[in-house]
Amino acid sequence: MSKTIPDDVIQRAAKLREQIAYHNYRYYALDDPEIPDVEYDRLFRGLQELEQDYPQLVTHDSPTQRVGAEPLKGFAEVRHAIPMLSLGNVFSEEALADFDRRVREGLGVEEVVYCVEPKLDGLAISIRYEDGLLVRAATRGDGTTGEDVTQNVRTIEAVPLKLYGDAYPAVLEVRGEVYMPRAGFEALNARQREKGEKTFANPRNAAAGSLRQLDPRITATRPLTIYCYGVGVVEGTELPDHHYAILQQLKEWGLRVCPEIRVVRGMQGCHHYYMEIEDKRDTLPYDIDGVVYKVNSLAQQRELGFVSRAPRWATAHKFPAQEEMTILENVEWQVGRTGALTPVARLLPVHVAGVMVSNATLHNPDEIVRKGVRIGDTVIVRRAGDVIPEVVSVVASKRPPDTQPVETPTHCPVCGADVLQDEGEAVPRCTGGLFCSAQRKNGIKHFASRKAMDIDGLGDKLVEQLVDAELIKDVADLFALTREQIAGLERMGEKSADNLVAALKQSKSTTLERFLYALGIREVGESTARTLANYFGTLDKVEEASEEQLIEVEDVGPIVAHHIHTFFRQPHNREVIDKLIAAGVHWPDVEVVQAAEQPLAGQTFVLTGTLEAMPRDEAKAKLQALGAKVSGSVSKKTSAVVAGEAAGSKLTKAEQLGVEVWDEKRLLALLNEYGVGD
Ligand code: IVH
């Protein structure tokens, strides 16, 4: 006898199905999910639980009975001879223990050997090879029927069009994850932004959007790659009888397999692996959202079999989500050193990956418009690694009726001066200059920072206290501070006052490049400051240079030249500089080597991988001392890429572009030739 279903349960199930169907559509068909994965999982589990309690609720079209959405129009359908399954999830150590117990009991063994893998955050693909040739590639679709994306997959360089060697099976369907490495994703978004086109919220959306292009020429420009993690149909050859061994075999056929995959014993081994990968997560060059545990023995896998949508012999262990949903309560504007106004989202506090987040950046007004953010909206916040949390998108379906637009202020929230946004500039600015205490504070913080004057112990809070107490107005006032004045501040004792006085004294002896950088001239970063110092040699010459002369300097364009020139034409700035010098700030003149006289002038190097003889920073400084530029990315203009141990994508790029590749020996020989080798 089945129990009758209460009305409210019927309604809840219907509502959940409607929501799941809507979000499936956003996620699968549009590649534009509206809610974080955790939220979707919650809805899905909610429905599963209802259906477990009332099995009569299960209908043929329930989302729990069908993974994914219908194929998009435009791609042919492909039926998978062996279905592409999904994975069950565990979210805790206890749930992992339950999984392991079920497996052990199912097999009647004491301990199970698992193959453990990162759970890659891309999209699943099945690629069919006949007689070693790639004949078809299909997405997972609903698990039974996917979309034919052969043309697109053929454009992914990591996918061999022909299997390596000659011992491959007559038919091999290999399964894996197509994904976009983080660096490629950042570069793609930067390109999209430049072209004024749509950017992607995360690497997975970018990979999905790229693979679903109807025009393979577009896909070809997208930095997609693949890791293989399984097989479907195999005919004509016996494969090894353990999962891990099969993956090794795939590698031998030229297919890419993730290097983090291991074999471990029991749930202890699984748990260790989980922690190890979680630790490594931020340093991996691609996004993962958990790990996958698979029973390694195929005989045992067969014995365990499947439940409706997933194997009993595998499960995913998800990391805490990096994206969460919360309410945008307000937007405040922060004023930077150069007056730039940055919108900061004040959020209803929410835990994201273990940290309470109540503020997130909204970048600039254009981004607010692009994302359509309004105050009162439900938004998705993302926190990954060390980066500042950001508002990723709005959950449009949760918008209440009374949201307010975010308006760029017309007056500085700190000093009240006019706010102006120059044409072609992404950021609005406060025009208050040094009259604005926010600009002053940030200018002083910058001056004291490690790469500038490096004043030990002069942290942000202290700068704010000093300015608020009106003990300093500009950076030169720092050097007139007495230990009594400092010791009188809250949270400062005599000892810390002494330390700060000593640090200030020590910082007076500096270098021209640090000093130029410390001044905080717009667009003059460390590297421009260094170039200016080396080119002009003395502060006087930089101060007196005309815009035309400044443009002569490598890497200084008309805009930067204009900023530098204008800076030194402000009487106030000249006064502060004079005061600094009068206070004893000094540096040795720089021996000017005319660019053309430097042996490596005009050459650009890229350093990659680990160098044995010296840290990369040191090699970089030495190359720069000889007049070379050292860049972080490889282009056709690169003179040579120096590849150390474990060099990665930059080496590949150099090979693709036909750029010369040097080993470390050759670099050392060059440095020795000019006497800077050691
Ligand atoms: S195995 C029978 N291994 O996760 C098991 N899947 O939730 C089939 N995924 O559709 C999948 N990394 O897109 C497997 N190392 C990995 C994976 C992985 C990511 C994805 C894949 C699959 C989904 C299942």
Side-chain angles (χ1 to χ4, degrees):
M1 261 305 285
S2 56
K3 44 186 172 178
T4 49
I5 314 172
D7 273 353
D8 74 303
V9 171
I10 296 179
Q11 274 162 19
R12 256 164 56 214
K15 173 99 198 219
L16 282 169
R17 279 187 190 143
E18 188 189 308
Q19 284 174 310
I20 291 168
Y22 172 70
H23 293 300
N24 263 349
Y25 161 75
R26 297 282 308 225
Y27 186 97
Y28 289 105
L30 301 186
D31 288 329
D32 186 19
E34 206 186 38
I35 54 171
D37 292 354
V38 268
E39 186 61 23
Y40 180 87
D41 288 342
R42 276 176 212 137
L43 296 173
F44 200 89
R45 266 181 285 144
L47 182 58
Q48 272 180 327
E49 276 158 26
L50 287 184
E51 290 180 348
Q52 257 158 29
D53 290 348
Y54 301 95
Q56 319 94 288
L57 266 181
V58 179
T59 57
H60 189 56
D61 63 354
S62 170
T64 60
Q65 307 299 301
R66 179 204 67 147
V67 192
E70 309 299 328
L72 288 171
K73 288 195 193 75
F75 290 112
E77 288 189 357
V78 176
R79 233 186 127 72
H80 302 297
I82 297 181
M84 290 183 77
L85 296 167
S86 154
L87 288 170
N89 284 317
V90 300
F91 290 91
S92 66
E93 212 183 327
E94 295 76 56
L96 161 61
D98 280 348
F99 164 76
D100 177 59
R101 185 182 39 74
R102 285 196 304 274
V103 170
R104 281 185 289 108
E105 286 174 4
L107 296 170
V109 297
E110 294 271 297
E111 187 181 68
V112 179
V113 174
Y114 294 100
C115 180
V116 292
E117 315 177 358
K119 187 166 190 304
L120 306 154
D121 210 0
L123 65 156
I125 196 95
S126 179
I127 308 175
R128 186 178 170 96
Y129 289 91
E130 289 178 5
D131 295 325
L133 294 177
L134 189 162
V135 294
R136 193 164 53 240
T139 62
R140 171 161 143 230
D142 65 4
T144 317
T145 307
E147 295 160 5
D148 186 331
V149 288
T150 312
Q151 289 305 316
N152 289 342
V153 169
R154 283 180 68 99
T155 70
I156 303 173
E157 284 172 18
V159 174
L161 296 178
K162 181 178 187 301
L163 294 177
Y164 189 67
D166 47 20
Y168 43 73
V171 175
L172 173 70
E173 266 179 30
V174 61
R175 285 165 180 189
E177 196 88 346
V178 168
Y179 68 92
M180 192 175 287
R182 260 183 236 148
F185 161 74
E186 297 294 346
L188 169 63
N189 263 358
R191 284 204 305 274
Q192 294 287 103
R193 233 172 266 130
E194 238 164 63
K195 288 191 288 186
E197 283 174 21
K198 156 175 183 248
T199 55
F200 297 93
N202 54 46
R204 196 213 31 232
N205 287 2
S210 301
L211 202 63
R212 292 246 185 96
Q213 289 289 334
L214 287 167
D215 181 353
R217 283 173 301 184
I218 298 180
T219 312
T221 66
R222 303 287 172 80
L224 294 174
T225 182
I226 190 173
Y227 277 139
C228 301
Y229 51 62
V231 294
V233 176
V234 183
E235 284 169 17
T237 307
E238 282 286 298
L239 285 188
D241 52 12
H242 284 81
H243 180 71
Y244 186 81
I246 293 176
L247 299 182
Q248 299 313 306
Q249 175 64 72
L250 293 182
K251 268 205 275 196
E252 282 172 34
W253 289 325
L255 295 158
R256 239 175 140 237
V257 174
C258 178
E260 310 292 339
I261 297 178
R262 308 269 182 276
V263 174
V264 302
R265 282 177 175 280
M267 76 150 275
Q268 279 308 325
C270 291
H271 186 61
H272 264 123
Y273 181 74
Y274 174 85
M275 291 195 296
E276 186 190 317
I277 294 292
E278 191 180 34
D279 248 12
K280 254 193 183 176
R281 183 180 190 184
D282 292 338
T283 62
L284 292 174
Y286 44 85
D287 276 7
I288 61 175
D289 57 356
V291 294
V292 182
Y293 312 127
K294 300 175 182 171
V295 170
N296 198 30
S297 151
L298 296 204
Q300 290 184 333
Q301 287 186 4
R302 279 190 293 270
E303 209 177 322
L304 288 162
F306 304 90
V307 278
S308 65
R309 59 194 274 267
R312 283 204 189 85
W313 45 263
T315 193
H317 191 166
K318 295 271 202 85
F319 293 137
Q322 288 187 311
E323 290 185 357
E324 277 290 351
M325 229 165 44
T326 188
I327 311 271
L328 174 66
E329 295 188 322
N330 200 3
V331 173
E332 283 170 17
W333 296 79
Q334 255 168 22
V335 186
R337 164 171 65 84
T338 59
L341 259 62
T342 307
V344 179
R346 302 288 180 217
L347 306 165
L348 183 69
V350 61
H351 266 290
V352 190
V355 172
M356 194 58 110
V357 174
S358 46
N359 299 317
T361 182
L362 276 159
H363 301 291
N364 58 51
D366 286 350
E367 285 284 301
I368 293 177
V369 173
R370 197 177 64 75
K371 291 173 182 159
V373 179
R374 291 171 67 91
I375 295 166
D377 263 337
T378 295
V379 294
I380 292 174
V381 270
R382 180 179 169 84
R383 182 188 152 263
D386 297 334
V387 300
I388 304 169
E390 61 165 351
V391 172
V392 179
S393 56
V394 171
V395 185
S397 61
K398 284 193 180 281
R399 174 168 289 169
D402 56 348
T403 58
Q404 299 296 315
V406 181
E407 276 167 25
T408 305
T410 53
H411 291 91
C412 173
V414 177
C415 74
D418 287 346
V419 167
L420 294 179
Q421 184 163 354
D422 287 344
E423 205 156 315
E425 277 238 9
V427 293
R429 283 175 201 277
C430 158
T431 54
L434 292 175
F435 171 72
C436 176
S437 70
Q439 291 195 41
R440 249 184 300 137
K441 284 177 182 169
N442 288 319
I444 298 169
K445 289 176 196 171
H446 171 79
F447 182 82
S449 65
R450 202 172 50 80
K451 288 176 174 168
M453 299 297 282
D454 194 16
I455 307 174
D456 220 17
L458 186 53
D460 290 0
K461 281 273 171 302
L462 190 49
V463 170
E464 283 168 25
Q465 277 180 291
L466 289 166
V467 174
D468 289 340
E470 295 187 3
L471 291 176
I472 55 173
K473 285 207 168 54
D474 60 41
V475 293
D477 294 338
L478 283 170
F479 296 101
L481 285 172
T482 63
R483 68 189 288 266
E484 289 71 31
Q485 284 175 319
I486 303 168
L489 293 169
E490 220 175 289
R491 284 194 306 274
M492 290 297 284
E494 302 213 329
K495 178 108 179 47
S496 33
D498 281 341
N499 288 345
L500 182 57
V501 170
L504 279 162
K505 188 160 171 228
Q506 200 184 3
S507 74
K508 286 184 193 173
S509 126
T510 185
T511 62
L512 178 56
E513 64 180 76
R514 274 177 178 274
F515 186 75
L516 285 171
Y517 173 65
L519 291 176
I521 306 166
R522 261 176 78 181
E523 308 284 341
V524 177
E526 279 168 274
S527 119
T528 308
R530 180 181 320 113
T531 324
L532 289 170
N534 289 337
Y535 185 93
F536 290 103
T538 68
L539 179 64
D540 284 349
K541 293 213 174 99
V542 185
E543 284 180 339
E544 295 318 317
S546 65
E547 288 191 32
E548 290 71 33
Q549 285 169 326
L550 287 162
I551 293 172
E552 291 292 301
V553 182
E554 214 191 329
D555 281 343
V556 175
I559 295 175
V560 183
H562 180 71
H563 287 319
I564 299 169
H565 189 256
T566 313
F567 181 90
F568 290 112
R569 297 292 144 325
Q570 307 301 309
H572 173 82
N573 291 336
R574 298 290 272 252
E575 265 167 43
V576 171
I577 292 171
D578 289 346
K579 256 164 74 183
L580 285 168
I581 292 167
V585 174
H586 66 280
W587 54 87
D589 282 348
V590 180
E591 197 184 323
V592 181
V593 185
Q594 280 308 313
E597 288 172 14
Q598 289 192 271
L600 302 183
Q603 299 196 36
T604 305
F605 290 82
V606 173
L607 305 175
T608 183
T610 312
L611 302 182
E612 302 234 310
M614 63 183 89
R616 277 215 308 250
D617 269 359
E618 194 179 324
K620 177 175 169 182
K622 287 178 172 173
L623 284 166
Q624 284 170 337
L626 297 172
K629 281 214 308 196
V630 178
S631 161
S633 57
V634 184
S635 78
K636 282 207 178 98
K637 291 191 190 143
T638 310
S639 318
V641 170
V642 180
E645 198 55 38
S649 61
K650 288 178 191 166
L651 178 56
T652 320
K653 182 90 187 280
E655 283 161 357
Q656 280 167 358
L657 294 175
V659 169
E660 227 179 275
V661 176
W662 291 13
D663 59 11
E664 185 175 353
K665 257 205 244 141
R666 182 144 174 212
L667 172 70
L668 290 178
L670 176 82
L671 296 178
N672 283 330
E673 191 182 329
Y674 295 107
V676 297
D678 41 32

